[in-house]
Amino acid sequence: EDGLLEEGFTLAREMLKPALYPEHYPTLNKLKAHQQSANALEAPFNKVPINVCFATPEDGIDHVGVEQQACNNCGDCVSGCNFNAKNTTRMNYLPDAWNHGAEIYCQANVRYLEKTDSGWRVFYQDMGTGAECFSAAPLFVEADLVILAAGTLGSNEILLRSQSRGLAISSQLGQHFT
């Protein structure tokens, strides 16, 4: 189990390319405050690697084929980088999945999953078409492999709806988080 976890961390590092805030970038007040706090507590201080590109790739294209710029310290990291410097699902995982043959559906509200003899059936509602206002039957796609990544609450919600329709799910689903 530890080996699998370590392999996951290694793959994430390769994909997200975490880096330390560079010494040649402007000094950040927050970073200075953390260092002062560590010094006052006589504790070690270390910068934490973050998933931001601090140097534009040589040809301007990152390792998964997406145009990427270096961080310009605009401060919009949390609300969404407008300069494609932050390594995120949109900048890394989705393009890589697309490059390897994944189909990506936008504006689709997944309702539930169903196991089939040959794989999976994903039932969804097409959003933004007006159909979501009516009680139309959901559409579906079939796949050999499905990766459910709707966040903590979204994934639980989809799996609980799937469970209510007969999908075998652990009784621990939705337990022990706040």
Side-chain angles (χ1 to χ4, degrees):
E1 189 174 287
D2 287 341
L4 188 59
L5 187 61
E6 185 57 37
E7 183 181 345
F9 285 135
T10 299
L11 292 172
R13 278 192 300 272
E14 289 173 10
M15 181 60 69
L16 295 173
K17 307 283 187 202
L20 296 175
Y21 186 78
E23 295 296 329
H24 68 275
Y25 266 52
T27 302
L28 299 175
N29 290 335
K30 182 186 282 189
L31 198 57
K32 245 178 16 186
H34 285 305
Q35 191 163 13
Q36 288 171 347
S37 295
N39 291 343
L41 294 169
E42 298 179 4
F45 172 79
N46 296 301
K47 292 179 186 176
V48 177
I50 58 175
N51 299 328
V52 172
C53 176
F54 291 109
T56 302
E58 191 172 311
D59 60 358
I61 305 298
D62 75 3
H63 61 289
V64 295
V66 175
E67 186 177 332
Q68 190 164 38
Q69 299 177 35
C71 175
N72 65 5
N73 274 18
C74 70
D76 289 335
C77 301
V78 175
S79 59
C81 179
N82 294 310
F83 300 96
N84 297 334
K86 190 171 179 184
N87 294 319
T88 62
T89 301
R90 180 181 74 85
M91 289 293 294
N92 300 93
Y93 285 104
L94 291 177
D96 191 55
W98 176 264
N99 292 339
H100 287 89
E103 293 181 32
I104 299 171
Y105 295 84
C106 298
Q107 299 214 359
N109 182 356
V110 174
R111 305 309 302 152
Y112 58 95
L113 309 172
E114 186 176 89
K115 185 78 176 113
T116 67
D117 291 338
S118 60
W120 294 91
R121 190 170 290 137
V122 180
F123 291 86
Y124 69 95
Q125 195 169 38
D126 206 4
M127 303 304 290
T129 63
E132 67 272 14
C133 298
F134 303 97
S135 56
L139 303 168
F140 67 88
V141 293
E142 293 184 333
D144 298 333
L145 174 69
V146 172
I147 298 170
L148 182 59
T152 300
L153 298 177
S155 294
N156 276 282
E157 180 182 0
I158 292 166
L159 289 172
L160 287 168
R161 277 197 302 262
S162 302
Q163 183 182 45
S164 73
R165 294 178 163 273
L167 185 64
I169 299 285
S170 168
S171 63
Q172 293 299 300
L173 177 68
Q175 303 295 315
H176 308 292
F177 75 91
T178 59

